[in-house]
Amino acid sequence: MSYETGIKRGDRQQRLSGLGFIGGAILIVVGSLLLPRAPNLGDIQAMQKAYAEQAALLQACALLLAFGFWALLIGTAGVYHSITTDGAAWARLGFYFHLVGAALWTIGMSLDISYPAAILNWLAASESNREVAYSVVTVLSPLGFGRGTFPLNIIVNWLAFTFFSIAVLRSFTYPRWIGWYGLFLGIAGLALGIIMTFTGREAVINPFVIFMFLNLVWWFAWGIWIIRKAW
């Protein structure tokens, strides 16, 4: 099958796009593997203890995850500019949603950076200020304010990937397997995000881990394909 001329050898934006997908996948893998965890994510006291003991590591992982999603945004920017015919409207819609999704992801990671700092401030607070300090911890907790931002994060970002996948299927810029794979992941992400809205992420953490692994494979494979075409 011949592809459209959206990707040309030597195209610098497409090189950056491919590197964005690959680099984003790698950063997210590293940040996720190093992320401190409690044995039971629903045990708020165990989580607070783990995060207090490894506050700097949690903050570093949050930065890696933020950098990873920004790198993916570089990848999708290249996709948006490479699809110029039948799927262009869908690619444009996908990119706009991904801009919102990247902003939501950044907010979520900023909460993960603030949360361990709030825990340390609470533990160091005097008796008179301890209750106020703990109220800040409660607001920033993944079971507090974070419980609402994470499902919306998943819904918006994977709605964007759904639109990108439709754009791929309507054009001939990329192989169709990238589009079908992404469409499956986009629909699965929407379903997971909606379920998390009512149950919290703790209830579906195992399916979510599998889901993210499949996404990492998709992003990495897409980046490799672009690099081979553009380099």
Side-chain angles (χ1 to χ4, degrees):
M1 178 182 295
S2 61
Y3 298 99
E4 292 177 1
T5 58
I7 298 179
K8 297 178 181 178
R9 191 169 299 279
D11 188 323
R12 292 183 179 179
Q13 182 168 19
Q14 295 309 314
R15 288 179 178 180
L16 288 173
S17 177
L19 291 173
F21 279 123
I22 295 170
I26 292 172
L27 288 168
I28 292 171
V29 166
V30 175
S32 299
L33 290 176
L34 296 178
L35 190 67
R37 292 178 178 85
N40 180 6
L41 294 180
D43 187 341
I44 188 66
Q45 292 182 337
M47 287 179 64
Q48 289 172 352
K49 183 175 184 295
Y51 292 163
E53 291 174 348
Q54 304 181 75
L57 179 58
L58 176 61
Q59 291 169 328
C61 289
L63 281 177
L64 287 174
L65 292 169
F67 291 157
F69 236 76
W70 297 341
L72 291 179
L73 187 61
I74 294 173
T76 58
V79 175
Y80 165 48
H81 284 282
S82 67
I83 298 178
T84 58
T85 55
D86 289 345
W90 289 101
R92 186 182 306 114
L93 194 59
F95 187 65
Y96 292 160
F97 266 82
H98 198 195
L99 285 174
V100 176
L104 284 172
W105 187 272
T106 303
I107 292 171
M109 293 304 101
S110 69
L111 291 176
D112 283 350
I113 291 173
S114 302
Y115 185 48
I119 293 173
L120 293 177
N121 288 337
W122 164 56
L123 294 175
S126 62
E127 288 296 330
S128 59
N129 294 325
R130 182 156 295 189
E131 185 175 349
V132 175
Y134 188 70
S135 67
V136 176
V137 174
T138 303
V139 170
L140 296 175
S141 167
L143 300 179
F145 184 65
R147 183 185 177 103
T149 59
F150 195 77
L152 280 179
N153 187 341
I154 300 302
I155 290 171
V156 173
N157 277 296
W158 271 267
L159 189 58
F161 292 130
T162 299
F163 292 146
F164 276 122
S165 299
I166 295 172
V168 168
L169 291 172
R170 290 184 62 87
S171 71
F172 292 99
T173 307
Y174 303 95
R176 294 183 67 80
W177 65 264
I178 290 177
W180 286 116
Y181 192 170
L183 188 60
F184 163 75
L185 293 173
I187 294 171
L190 284 172
L192 278 173
I194 292 170
I195 292 171
M196 287 180 188
T197 301
F198 300 100
T199 66
R201 57 182 167 181
E202 298 78 18
V204 290
I205 189 63
N206 290 330
F208 182 72
V209 169
I210 297 171
F211 168 72
M212 282 304 298
F213 172 77
L214 295 175
N215 276 276
L216 291 166
V217 172
W218 182 51
W219 293 326
F220 194 84
W222 200 350
I224 291 293
W225 189 91
I226 294 173
I227 288 293
R228 292 180 63 186
K229 284 286 181 179
W231 215 268

